[in-house]
Amino acid sequence: MNTTTATAPQPERLFLLDGMALAYRAYFAFIRRPLINSKGVNTSAIYGFTTALMRILEDEKPDHIAVVFDTREPTFRHEMFKEYKATREKMPEEMASQLDRLKDIVRAFNVPVIEYPRYEADDIIGTLAKRAEQEGVLTYMVTGDKDFMQLITPYTKMLKPGKAGEEPEVIDERGVLEKFGVRPAQVIDVLALIGDTSDNIPGVPGVGEKTAIPLIQTYGSLENLYEHLDDIPQKGLREKLAQHRELAFLSKHLVTIHTDVPVPVNFHELKANAPDSSALIKHFSELEFRTLLNKLSGIVSIAVERNAKQWAPEQPPPPSPGVRDIHTDAHEYHCITAEHDLNTLIARLRQSSRFVFDTETTSPNALQADLIGLSFAMKEREAFYVPVRYANSMHDQHTGASKDLFSASDTQPASTNATSTALPLQTVLSALKPLFEDPSIKKMGQNIKYDMLVLMAHGVHVEGVAFDTMVASYVLRADGQHSLDALAMEHLNYKMIAYDDLVGKGKTLKHITEIPLDVITDYAAEDADMTLRIAAIQQEKLKEREQLRLCEEVEFPLIPVLARMEFAGIALDGAYLADMSKELERMIDNLIRDIYNDAGGQFNINSTQQLADVLFNKLKLPTVKKTKTGYSTDVAVLEALRGQHPIIERMLEYRQLTKLKSTYVDALPSLINPRTGRIHTSFNQTVALTGRLSSADPNLQNIPIRTELGRAIRKAFIPSDEGNLIMSADYSQIELRVMAHVSGDEGLIEAFTRGEDIHATTASKVFGVKPEEVTREMRRKAKEVNFGIMYGIGPFGLANRLEISQTEAKEIIQRYFERFPKVKQYIHDTIATCRRTGYVSTLLGRRRYLPDITSRNSAVRGNAERQAINMPIQGTAADMIKLAMIGIDAEQQRQKLKSKMLLQVHDELVFEVATDELETMRTLAVERMQNALHLDVPIDVEVGVGKNWLEAH
């Protein structure tokens, strides 16, 4: 965005950045996937803030600029109202630790930083904006805080930063009216009525925006509203306003931004002088801001142009390379539209020890996508694109002559944009099939499983998968960004062609087959080229971290296994689910009638507000939790109210049944692939931070099994071929066995070696009774302790699970550690190691980085410690089942078995088994699962067989 226009002379422009608001905004923008560098330091606030600052400096080239921060001292508002901001949550430790460095970076940009005691940044910005307005200078207040809308005039505007990929928004007087429904001067009056929970400004209790805005629209101001209080027709509202008159006027004083602060600043002197590029390079290098480091050259050149006198002639600003893209990067990308060129390419691919390939398709669903082209790369900066003409194409609109791209006279891609210039699909696939199916020729890719599935749907089965950059990125840093665009920027400082830029958006959206051939050639070939370049860098990093073996023996060999599982899919009994849906509907209808009887009348059961009114106002049940919008009625609240009233049990059951019906029973049949008649879930290797696989579209790992109705859903999963069976092979207590191995605790190892009931054994030792004296209640408690310990459970958590006092829970945990001392030592050593290195590892070297392990915030640190305890256990179990899957699949391929592996659900594998192969598959599954990884305890695998998944479990 650029705030200037070329049609008329522009006034000088002053940009005032609300430093703390922008830092908060940046920090929370990355809260789900925080930016963590290799040292384990959270850099989200600094990165987001600096990106916004650089964008303003580069795009706007401001005449005047400053960043304004709050100070730690109490302000005049605290003197006016002691409770001001008293309820505000403490700034997250990870953000607070970034502020000093953030300010240092602002100063390194030679941008003025303003802080003034007793006043907030809002007041300083308001004062400077007012001073600038008096001299005809246009001010942009850079913030997302709605309070600033009260300051907007023809010469003062808000510049609200956009979300990732969005343009910032300029808010003027018309914008305030559209967003707030009132003029800028009236914003104070609206805020006075509604208050501000984040700043603990009371307002008038019970009055929100929907009430406040019409009042101010009608009466113009708070003062006039109270002068005409008797005119308000709603008695309840009138009484609220009268009762809380003093709060309303106090709130107005608190929300009013002062524009007469005696801050000793001359806004004319607020300029961005030439930045200290050496300091910025040092900051960005230490913080690992590669993208910003490369953007720095643009900022430096603008500053030099604006402030030429700042640089001595013999000391020019240090150069910084810009971000490379398709237009600045030297490369040769070729388009293949003639059969003899294709044959020449295939010959070269055969001679190469390995190559990258990528597919261009019409859909993200690999099994429903049409293939429109393939790209290949064998060496860096050279790639080839092979467009194909598929039979059902509706986009063959253009023509053009093919060229011999391997001749010395012409190495440029064709410039037409028609699939009619492409080779027929079957011609291309027939020529490439032997190459793809040759396991001795190694293939590489980015999310190569997708490309394999596309080709499998077209009858080509890729063999020899050797490297996947997306999976390698996940192994290197599970909590990082794994898209090809992100990896190109991270490793190569290269900005790739965005898909949206290729096909457009909205009204300009084109079908991918309508894109000019030279353009799509650059796009597709670039994918292959970048993947090849990134793979070389990742391979070295994997070697350095001793993680290449994990990739080459677990993650990469797993890719074709998952591709075969996804391609096979699983059959569904639609008639059974239809009957189940009707039965659930009947049960839900009965529940609704009972709930209405309990409530004394009908209401919208799915409305949290109406339910809250029934529970807490009509039935007078005790309140458990409040939110900004009223009383909470979430599952945790309902669970806490169990036994208080019959309506609670019915509401819990109602929610359970409606979720089962909508999420699974009714949804699953709609997800059947029309081409195969089966459900094809997608197994993702790069989501779970512990190394576990996840399942999506649909998620078959989350089918509930704790209730009889939830388990009944599994009955719908049946063999594809009549006469076949479903077989389930499930690790028994695998995480406890891994815990016994990694801790080396003799008590646990002995119990597993003897084949004892581990929970009964634990109960015997913890409660000090003989094994035969262990009661069901003792065993239940011991089971919670056994599994809870692996998740770092404490007395509070155990007390909640067992519904006992924290004192009793603490005693149970203490006795557990006395009986199993090496488990306690494992926990202590693991946390200590994580604090020292910043990460924890599985037995095979899979890492999870936990920067919060050193946080000064006890809650944040405690959560990281629990993750540190659990990840090596759960991650090792995940690695084990992956190794088992690879071994089982390899033997199935070697023996050419008809049986198929269909699903992985954490510690369980599900197969469709031909009847005559049942014993072979049973033996194979057990043997490979037991011997996947050596542990110091025996591994137990439970196998079940049936006509459906429920019977087999």
Side-chain angles (χ1 to χ4, degrees):
M1 185 217 75
N2 193 304
T3 60
T4 63
T5 65
T7 57
Q10 292 295 310
E12 290 184 49
R13 293 176 306 140
L14 166 64
F15 285 75
L16 297 172
L17 283 68
D18 183 355
M20 200 62 72
L22 293 175
Y24 261 105
R25 184 184 182 92
Y27 175 79
F28 284 103
F30 293 100
I31 197 67
R32 290 189 176 180
R33 297 187 76 90
L35 301 181
I36 310 292
N37 64 18
S38 63
K39 302 179 186 70
V41 177
N42 187 316
T43 60
S44 301
I46 302 176
Y47 182 86
F49 180 94
T50 306
T51 300
L53 175 60
M54 291 176 71
R55 186 171 188 179
I56 288 171
L57 291 172
E58 191 167 10
D59 293 355
E60 302 298 336
K61 305 175 182 60
D63 301 292
H64 310 286
I65 186 171
V67 181
V68 188
F69 288 96
D70 298 325
T71 63
R72 295 182 180 179
E73 293 90 344
T75 69
F76 70 91
R77 291 183 178 85
H78 292 91
E79 297 168 6
M80 185 187 304
F81 183 54
K82 289 182 180 180
E83 289 78 17
Y84 179 62
K85 293 191 176 180
T87 57
R88 175 173 284 192
E89 290 186 13
K90 186 179 178 182
M91 183 185 299
E93 180 63 34
E94 297 77 11
M95 178 182 164
S97 63
Q98 300 179 54
L99 292 182
D100 288 342
R101 174 67 77 97
L102 188 153
K103 293 177 184 177
D104 288 343
I105 289 174
V106 175
R107 294 185 181 101
F109 272 109
N110 258 324
V111 170
V113 172
I114 303 174
E115 296 170 304
Y116 195 63
R118 289 196 72 248
Y119 294 93
E120 295 181 62
D122 309 33
D123 305 304
I124 299 168
I125 290 173
T127 297
L128 294 175
K130 186 63 65 176
R131 292 179 189 175
E133 182 175 352
Q134 291 169 359
E135 297 189 34
V137 173
L138 182 60
T139 298
Y140 287 94
M141 303 176 294
V142 185
T143 181
D145 189 345
K146 65 180 182 298
D147 291 7
F148 281 88
M149 290 183 180
Q150 65 185 270
L151 299 174
I152 289 178
T153 70
Y155 274 87
T156 302
K157 306 178 190 296
M158 270 181 68
L159 182 62
K160 186 178 180 181
K163 296 178 182 178
E166 295 181 359
E167 285 290 310
E169 179 185 9
V170 175
I171 302 174
D172 56 11
E173 292 171 294
R174 180 188 294 271
V176 176
L177 192 60
E178 290 174 353
K179 291 176 180 295
F180 229 63
V182 295
R183 293 178 286 104
Q186 297 172 312
V187 168
I188 304 170
D189 302 285
V190 173
L191 295 175
L193 289 171
I194 65 177
D196 188 334
T197 54
S198 65
D199 287 345
N200 201 33
I201 296 173
V204 175
V207 173
E209 274 192 19
K210 289 183 179 179
T211 302
I213 291 173
L215 285 174
I216 301 304
Q217 286 173 336
T218 302
Y219 298 102
S221 68
L222 189 69
E223 291 76 9
N224 196 45
L225 167 65
Y226 274 97
E227 286 178 11
H228 296 84
L229 202 58
D230 293 337
D231 297 344
I232 296 174
Q234 302 96 323
K235 180 182 177 183
L237 176 58
R238 194 167 62 244
E239 290 175 350
K240 283 180 189 175
L241 290 168
Q243 182 182 351
H244 300 292
R245 179 189 182 100
E246 289 186 9
L247 283 182
F249 282 98
L250 169 64
S251 299
K252 182 165 183 175
H253 285 301
L254 292 172
V255 300
T256 299
I257 295 175
H258 286 221
T259 58
D260 55 356
V261 176
V263 56
V265 172
N266 181 349
F267 75 84
H268 291 291
E269 297 175 359
L270 301 178
K271 292 181 180 292
N273 293 316
D276 184 346
S277 54
S278 60
L280 289 173
I281 289 170
K282 183 175 183 294
H283 282 304
F284 290 176
S285 298
E286 290 175 354
L287 293 165
E288 301 174 12
F289 290 167
R290 298 178 184 86
T291 305
L292 300 189
L293 197 58
N294 284 279
K295 288 182 178 178
L296 194 56
S297 59
I299 307 297
V300 172
S301 62
I302 290 165
V304 171
E305 181 182 337
R306 184 175 291 274
N307 305 281
K309 294 180 181 179
Q310 297 291 324
W311 296 96
E314 66 273 17
Q315 290 182 318
S320 177
V323 177
R324 289 173 293 142
D325 59 24
I326 193 77
H327 302 293
T328 60
D329 186 72
H331 63 264
E332 291 185 44
Y333 294 163
H334 309 291
C335 183
I336 305 296
T337 56
E339 195 168 344
H340 64 276
D341 288 339
L342 176 63
N343 293 333
T344 305
L345 172 61
I346 292 172
R348 286 187 57 182
L349 291 169
R350 280 198 169 280
Q351 292 168 4
S352 177
S353 60
R354 56 174 54 193
F355 64 82
V356 165
F357 81 94
D358 184 49
T359 60
E360 298 304 328
T361 68
T362 59
S363 170
N365 186 321
L367 298 181
Q368 296 186 34
D370 288 314
L371 179 65
I372 66 163
L374 301 100
S375 55
F376 300 89
M378 293 162 278
K379 66 178 184 178
E380 293 187 4
R381 291 179 170 79
E382 182 182 43
F384 302 85
Y385 177 59
V386 184
V388 298
R389 184 168 67 253
Y390 53 90
N392 64 336
S393 172
M394 298 298 292
H395 305 279
D396 293 351
Q397 300 170 5
H398 308 276
T399 61
S402 65
K403 298 189 178 184
D404 185 347
L405 300 178
F406 289 97
S407 67
S409 61
D410 191 354
T411 57
Q412 299 301 312
S415 60
T416 66
N417 64 339
T419 55
S420 58
T421 65
L423 292 166
L425 175 64
Q426 287 310 314
T427 299
V428 172
L429 291 182
S430 296
L432 288 170
K433 184 178 173 73
L435 178 76
F436 278 126
E437 297 186 351
D438 186 340
S440 68
I441 302 172
K442 303 305 178 187
K443 289 85 178 178
M444 307 161 68
Q446 161 77 10
N447 189 16
I448 200 171
K449 175 161 66 70
Y450 172 86
D451 306 299
M452 295 172 69
L453 285 165
V454 170
L455 292 174
M456 288 171 81
H458 288 80
V460 177
H461 297 265
V462 177
E463 300 288 347
V465 172
F467 203 96
D468 187 310
T469 48
M470 183 177 79
V471 174
S473 171
Y474 169 75
V475 170
L476 285 167
R477 188 81 196 208
D479 58 355
Q481 301 290 328
H482 311 306
S483 70
L484 189 58
D485 288 24
L487 296 180
M489 189 61 75
E490 176 187 352
H491 296 296
L492 302 168
N493 300 317
Y494 186 101
K495 186 178 187 305
M496 297 185 64
I497 303 170
Y499 184 78
D500 286 345
D501 292 340
L502 182 76
V503 299
K505 293 180 180 178
K507 294 180 180 179
T508 64
L509 180 67
K510 296 180 181 178
H511 192 275
I512 193 168
T513 54
E514 297 176 303
I515 307 303
L517 196 53
D518 55 344
V519 175
I520 199 170
T521 293
D522 278 343
Y523 173 79
E526 182 186 63
D527 281 356
D529 180 22
M530 290 303 113
T531 301
L532 188 69
R533 297 194 214 181
I534 292 164
I537 297 169
Q538 288 178 329
Q539 192 157 21
E540 291 305 311
K541 287 181 179 289
L542 290 166
K543 286 179 183 176
E544 289 172 14
R545 299 187 187 182
E546 298 182 344
Q547 291 184 302
L548 187 58
R549 182 182 173 190
L550 175 63
C551 283
E552 292 183 339
E553 295 185 5
V554 181
E555 293 296 344
F556 297 159
L558 185 66
I559 294 170
V561 178
L562 296 177
R564 280 188 276 274
M565 290 168 64
E566 292 181 21
F567 186 72
I570 188 165
L572 208 62
D573 187 339
Y576 169 79
L577 285 176
D579 290 341
M580 188 176 183
S581 179
K582 291 177 183 177
E583 176 61 16
L584 284 172
E585 190 170 350
R586 183 191 63 78
M587 294 170 70
I588 291 168
D589 287 343
N590 290 338
L591 270 174
I592 290 172
R593 282 195 293 272
D594 291 340
I595 290 169
Y596 286 162
N597 288 334
D598 291 335
Q602 294 189 11
F603 67 100
N604 183 353
I605 296 177
N606 298 316
S607 165
T608 55
Q609 290 183 338
Q610 291 188 36
L611 176 61
D613 181 59
V614 168
L615 298 182
F616 307 118
N617 294 329
K618 290 183 68 175
L619 300 180
K620 306 297 182 184
L621 296 180
T623 59
V624 178
K625 183 171 67 175
K626 289 193 72 174
T627 66
K628 290 181 180 180
T629 57
Y631 296 111
S632 172
T633 60
D634 61 22
V635 172
V637 169
L638 295 182
E639 289 286 356
L641 292 172
R642 275 187 187 273
Q644 299 275 352
H645 194 282
I647 197 173
I648 299 299
E649 296 289 342
R650 293 191 175 103
M651 276 304 308
L652 284 166
E653 187 178 1
Y654 169 81
R655 287 185 177 177
Q656 180 190 68
L657 296 187
T658 52
K659 182 177 180 180
L660 279 178
K661 187 174 186 296
S662 63
T663 307
Y664 299 104
V665 178
D666 291 344
L668 285 173
S670 68
L671 297 174
I672 293 174
N673 187 308
R675 296 185 180 183
T676 67
R678 298 189 294 275
I679 281 183
H680 301 266
T681 187
S682 177
F683 290 104
N684 199 318
Q685 288 173 265
T686 61
V687 172
L689 299 182
T690 58
R692 276 185 165 185
L693 293 174
S694 66
S695 166
D697 303 320
N699 183 350
L700 298 183
Q701 294 182 334
N702 268 9
I703 294 176
I705 57 172
R706 292 183 180 273
T707 64
E708 185 178 344
L709 274 172
R711 288 190 295 272
I713 294 173
R714 290 190 169 195
K715 190 175 180 180
F717 293 86
I718 58 176
S720 298
D721 295 331
E722 192 174 345
N724 285 358
L725 297 168
I726 297 293
M727 185 181 87
S728 166
D730 198 352
Y731 276 124
S732 173
Q733 300 172 334
I734 189 62
E735 291 185 15
L736 280 172
R737 294 171 196 268
V738 173
M739 170 64 90
H741 175 85
V742 299
S743 68
D745 189 272
E746 290 85 354
L748 281 179
I749 291 173
E750 182 182 15
F752 280 121
T753 302
R754 291 181 175 180
E756 297 173 2
D757 177 341
I758 190 65
H759 303 312
T761 299
T762 300
S764 173
K765 293 190 175 186
V766 168
F767 296 109
V769 299
K770 295 178 181 179
E772 59 270 20
E773 295 174 349
V774 171
T775 64
R776 288 184 63 183
E777 182 62 13
M778 288 178 180
R779 186 183 183 280
R780 182 181 76 85
K781 291 181 178 180
K783 182 177 181 179
E784 290 292 349
V785 176
N786 273 331
F787 287 113
I789 289 295
M790 291 187 298
Y791 289 87
I793 200 169
F796 177 77
L798 186 62
N800 281 343
R801 286 193 189 185
L802 296 179
E803 298 179 342
I804 58 177
S805 69
Q806 286 195 54
T807 302
E808 185 182 350
K810 186 176 181 180
E811 290 174 357
I812 290 174
I813 292 174
Q814 186 175 338
R815 289 199 297 270
Y816 180 94
F817 285 141
E818 287 172 357
R819 300 298 185 269
F820 303 106
K822 287 193 176 179
V823 173
K824 184 177 183 180
Q825 189 64 42
Y826 159 77
I827 291 172
H828 176 272
D829 292 347
T830 300
I831 291 173
T833 300
C834 188
R835 284 192 183 130
R836 187 178 71 253
T837 63
Y839 63 86
V840 289
S841 300
T842 66
L843 291 180
L844 295 183
R846 185 185 304 281
R847 295 182 183 182
R848 181 173 184 182
Y849 290 86
L850 294 164
D852 290 339
I853 199 80
T854 57
S855 173
R856 283 180 286 182
N857 182 310
S858 60
V860 172
R861 184 177 65 252
N863 184 51
E865 289 174 350
R866 288 189 290 273
Q867 292 170 345
I869 295 164
N870 173 250
M871 189 274 174
I873 307 298
Q874 190 177 102
T876 295
D879 290 342
M880 284 184 67
I881 200 164
K882 286 179 178 180
L883 285 168
M885 293 166 70
I886 294 164
I888 294 168
D889 178 81
E891 194 61 23
Q892 284 180 297
Q893 301 301 309
R894 190 187 69 81
Q895 295 187 37
K896 296 182 171 53
L897 298 177
K898 301 185 292 292
S899 301
K900 298 173 183 177
M901 185 157 36
L902 303 181
L903 301 176
Q904 188 257 43
V905 182
H906 304 316
D907 302 330
E908 175 190 7
L909 296 177
V910 179
F911 304 83
E912 179 173 341
V913 178
T915 308
D916 60 345
E917 294 176 352
L918 178 57
E919 291 310 311
T920 300
M921 285 300 301
R922 188 196 303 269
T923 302
L924 174 59
V926 171
E927 189 272 329
R928 294 293 174 159
M929 290 175 76
Q930 287 181 334
N931 296 294
L933 195 64
H934 171 73
L935 299 182
D936 292 336
V937 293
I939 305 300
D940 188 21
V941 178
E942 299 172 350
V943 177
V945 179
K947 295 178 181 178
N948 55 62
W949 189 7
L950 179 64
E951 286 186 12
H953 200 264

